[in-house]
Amino acid sequence: MYPKDLRYSKEHEWARTEGNRVRVGITKFAADRLSDVVYVELPQVGAEVSFMQPFGVVESVKAVSDLYAPVSGRVAEINRALVEKPELINTDPYGEAWMIVVEPRDLAELDRLMDAAAYAAMVGEATS
Amino acid sequence: MDGVGTLRRTPLYEVHRAAGARMVPFGGWEMPVQYSGIIEEHLAVRTRAGLFDVSHMGEVELAGPGALALAQRLVTNDVARLAVGQALYTPMCTPEGGIIDDLLVYRLDDARLMLVVNATNTQEDLAWIRAHAADDVRVIDRTAEVALLALQGPRSLAILQRLTPTPLETVPYYRFRDGVEVAGRRTLVSRTGYTGEDGFEVYCAPGDAPHLWSAILEAGRPDGVLPAGLGARDTLRLEAGYLLHGNDMDTATTPLEAGLGWTVKLQKGEFIGADALRRQKAVGISRRLAGFTLEERAIARHGFAILHEGTPIGRVTSGTFGPSVGKSIGLGYLPPEHAEPGRRVAVEIRGRAVPGVVTKLPFYTRPQPAPA
């Protein structure tokens, strides 16, 4: 459910370090809670995002949720596939449904996030 | 009791929990909002069949020689046109023409009617009905004595037919039959629904509901029937252009404004709200409920502003993503000059004007069966 190589925010985003960039998405827990994601609003490439500030919106039939940046920096890539296929967020939250790639200002911010075990404990599940 | 101690539960509560349903409070009841997922359940109803627990709906029986006259006075549609075994859809209005509730009226026999009302409004409706009842009619709240299952979708007839000796093709749309044996239990079977698909609503004793629920799901397994929750019920009804009381209409809106003019029978004789509706019809309405389709998938939620060239002209009353139409759709009241299909509108979503177009209702019409 929660890959060991990711860092997790309390707002249910994950962050994966890839060299000097960070890929961001939402967790399986968040996707399941939303269920049936039908719309995603992402920032423009080049936009600045700030640690634990909203960078976008994810919407399901039932509810709308803000997306929070797990790291500050400049948006280097966005996942345009999600505009047409937002349901990927439900089927592959850690893979095809990544949301943005950030060029971070301060990678040490990731230390303030949780590891998989702490996140699983927060959402009340045992790590598999 | 987790703060939900006052919520009522249907006889299928344990069945829903065991099936992994997500339960939510709705109209004073703890109801399943989804099982496998809203879109999956929605598509099952459109292409195969879905089974809903709608036991939260209120059932009010009017019994006695004055039953028909009372109903005629309370509702805008013409109950006198109903044959025994027939049902109709109607608003019930205030003297000002505001919609207290929308309901189905079943003519059970010459001196008995059953009104099926929204869960949210059951208590208010009962008080209103009782306040207008004379001595020649009894008003009986049957809500706790009646459970209601809705089997909806193109495979409904085939599935339900496996469980009953009654030939169901002899029950046409908006007709019903009482005393139908389904899976060995006595029920009232009605060819009605709230999804835009063919289907049946099965009224039964609460104690029989779990057995009937399992029997229908079992009989429909080869067809791919799924249990479906309130989430899918809402996306289905909105695509079909059906209104939800409390969202799309209330006591501040009239049936003429809500596009329900076809249910207002001003010629039938006096009824509560007739004068106001007659006047409004003569003067003309200043706003009308209209459907709209957006060019993006963002959802127009209840209360969002509807814009014309940047100026607010109305508010969204219902909005969702329509899984079968593949678009963001909604309803809202607009000035008549803006309510014509094809007119450009926008909905303000999180500070942004998302463009759209006024769309003729319903958004979705089921394909007609191919000729045999």
Side-chain angles (χ1 to χ4, degrees):
Chain A
M1 282 288 259
Y2 310 111
K4 297 269 198 312
D5 60 322
L6 306 182
R7 302 289 291 171
Y8 297 89
S9 82
K10 63 175 172 35
E11 300 289 350
H12 311 287
E13 288 78 21
W14 54 259
R16 179 187 289 124
T17 309
E18 299 177 353
N20 56 0
R21 309 202 311 175
V22 175
R23 195 174 294 267
V24 174
I26 65 168
T27 66
K28 179 95 170 71
F29 177 83
D32 286 350
R33 284 291 291 269
L34 280 163
S35 86
D36 297 311
V37 174
V38 295
Y39 178 71
V40 185
E41 206 168 274
L42 297 177
Q44 305 280 323
V45 170
E48 290 290 326
V49 297
S50 301
F51 183 71
M52 294 321 290
Q53 293 300 307
F55 72 82
V57 160
V58 61
E59 198 160 5
S60 71
V61 174
K62 279 186 308 195
V64 53
S65 296
D66 281 325
L67 299 165
Y68 292 85
V71 67
S72 305
R74 179 184 161 280
V75 176
E77 286 181 49
I78 62 168
N79 188 353
R80 294 182 203 281
L82 293 183
V83 174
E84 286 308 311
K85 292 187 77 180
E87 61 271 20
L88 289 172
I89 292 165
N90 293 111
T91 54
D92 192 11
Y94 303 114
E96 279 196 86
W98 63 275
M99 290 175 171
I100 57 173
V101 173
V102 179
E103 289 168 350
R105 281 200 295 271
D106 179 9
L107 268 175
E109 281 176 340
L110 296 181
D111 297 339
R112 295 160 67 184
L113 303 176
M114 286 172 271
D115 64 15
Y119 179 73
M122 186 191 84
V123 301
E125 294 173 23
T127 337
S128 54
Chain B
M1 295 289 279
D2 301 304
V4 294
T6 57
L7 291 177
R8 296 173 74 176
R9 290 175 176 175
T10 79
L12 292 163
Y13 175 82
E14 297 300 338
V15 175
H16 301 319
R17 291 302 296 260
R22 261 181 226 178
M23 308 299 288
V24 296
F26 180 83
W29 295 72
E30 199 173 356
M31 298 299 294
V33 66
Q34 67 174 81
Y35 303 80
S36 47
I38 291 171
I39 292 177
E40 189 179 343
E41 294 161 26
H42 174 112
L43 296 175
V45 172
R46 287 272 180 260
T47 58
R48 307 185 305 274
L51 183 62
F52 300 82
D53 176 14
V54 282
S55 302
H56 61 311
M57 302 291 286
E59 288 85 13
V60 180
E61 187 177 318
L62 309 184
L68 186 66
L70 174 60
Q72 279 292 65
R73 177 139 183 260
L74 288 170
V75 306
T76 63
N77 209 335
D78 190 0
V79 182
R81 292 186 187 187
L82 284 180
V84 171
Q86 194 175 10
L88 62 69
Y89 171 81
T90 182
M92 176 166 75
C93 286
T94 65
E96 296 76 34
I99 304 171
I100 296 170
D101 203 359
D102 65 330
L103 50 131
L104 294 187
V105 180
Y106 287 78
R107 187 155 192 178
L108 300 175
D109 60 40
D110 285 334
R112 272 193 325 139
L113 298 169
M114 177 172 72
L115 314 184
V116 181
V117 304
N118 283 296
T120 315
N121 302 328
T122 304
Q123 291 314 312
E124 292 88 336
D125 289 356
L126 267 169
W128 180 260
I129 294 164
R130 289 193 167 125
H132 292 88
D135 289 343
D136 58 354
V137 55
R138 284 183 302 139
V139 178
I140 310 153
D141 180 6
R142 299 275 190 213
T143 305
E145 299 159 45
V146 179
L148 177 54
L149 312 186
L151 179 63
Q152 300 280 300
R155 299 299 298 159
S156 298
L157 173 64
I159 294 167
L160 201 58
Q161 191 63 76
R162 289 174 201 142
L163 298 171
T164 178
T166 301
L168 293 173
E169 74 273 14
T170 64
V171 183
Y173 192 51
Y174 268 76
R175 298 275 175 160
F176 67 93
R177 192 165 303 173
D178 201 357
V180 174
E181 191 184 302
V182 177
R185 309 298 157 100
R186 193 189 144 89
T187 70
L188 183 156
V189 172
S190 163
R191 193 100 178 236
T192 47
Y194 192 51
T195 61
E197 296 298 329
D198 187 19
F200 295 88
E201 294 182 298
V202 180
Y203 295 83
C204 64
D208 291 338
H211 171 75
L212 284 164
W213 179 268
S214 312
I216 293 169
L217 288 181
E218 188 60 38
R221 186 169 312 205
D223 305 83
V225 66
L226 288 183
L230 293 185
R233 189 168 161 83
D234 193 57
T235 55
L236 289 159
R237 69 93 189 167
L238 191 47
E239 280 189 343
Y242 296 143
L243 314 190
L244 173 62
H245 192 272
N247 273 40
D248 307 311
M249 53 183 162
D250 54 31
T251 52
T253 51
T254 74
L256 302 178
E257 294 167 341
L260 299 174
W262 61 277
T263 65
V264 178
K265 302 296 190 333
L266 291 168
Q267 308 304 321
K268 76 169 184 172
E270 276 317 297
F271 60 91
I272 298 169
D275 289 343
L277 293 171
R278 203 171 281 125
R279 266 197 309 278
Q280 190 177 46
K281 194 169 183 180
V283 174
I285 53 175
S286 59
R287 57 180 180 162
R288 185 196 308 164
L289 194 70
F292 60 81
T293 305
L294 297 185
E295 288 174 9
E296 295 178 23
R297 297 171 57 122
I299 294 178
R301 309 266 173 194
H302 180 82
F304 285 9
I306 303 174
L307 312 172
H308 173 70
E309 294 175 351
T311 306
I313 53 169
R315 291 210 171 268
V316 175
T317 56
S318 285
T320 194
F321 182 80
S324 298
V325 298
K327 291 191 168 83
S328 176
I329 55 174
L331 301 173
Y333 285 91
L334 296 176
E337 65 270 26
H338 291 289
E340 290 300 318
R343 293 297 304 253
R344 305 293 307 176
V345 291
V347 174
E348 189 175 333
I349 301 180
R350 294 180 287 277
R352 211 160 52 86
V354 175
V357 62
V358 174
T359 309
K360 187 172 156 35
L361 297 176
F363 298 103
Y364 171 90
T365 311
R366 69 173 180 261
Q368 292 306 303

